[in-house]
Amino acid sequence: MPGSEEPRAPGAKRPHNIFEAAAAHVAACAEEDDERSAEAAEWVSPEALAFGINELACRAVIALARERGESPQTVARDLLNLPVA
């Protein structure tokens, strides 16, 4: 219901959701920032983080496949340097 949320104290941070955690974690890993990666991994449970990372990976592969005009399988294998199936 609108308006049923409890008000937060001024300056209080809202909790992170699984997609924010996954985006921050993956970006930090890509930039080899272990400290930031570890911090983002603490925002949600390990299971939620894994789900968010999986969702991010799926969306990224689909976007790249569309951009390249290739199948998601071809793009995923290429990103992991796997031989053509």
Side-chain angles (χ1 to χ4, degrees), residues 9-71:
K13 293 183 179 181
R14 67 175 175 78
H16 297 281
N17 70 42
I18 61 175
F19 300 115
E20 289 174 323
H25 178 72
V26 169
C29 288
E31 296 168 352
E32 298 181 3
D33 185 339
D34 295 336
E35 187 176 315
R36 205 166 39 117
S37 172
E39 178 186 343
E42 293 176 357
W43 294 349
V44 295
S45 72
E47 295 82 9
L49 183 61
F51 176 81
I53 290 170
N54 183 64
E55 186 65 24
L56 177 60
C58 290
R59 292 179 187 197
V61 167
I62 290 168
L64 281 172
R66 287 181 182 152
E67 185 178 294
R68 295 179 181 184
E70 298 175 341
S71 73

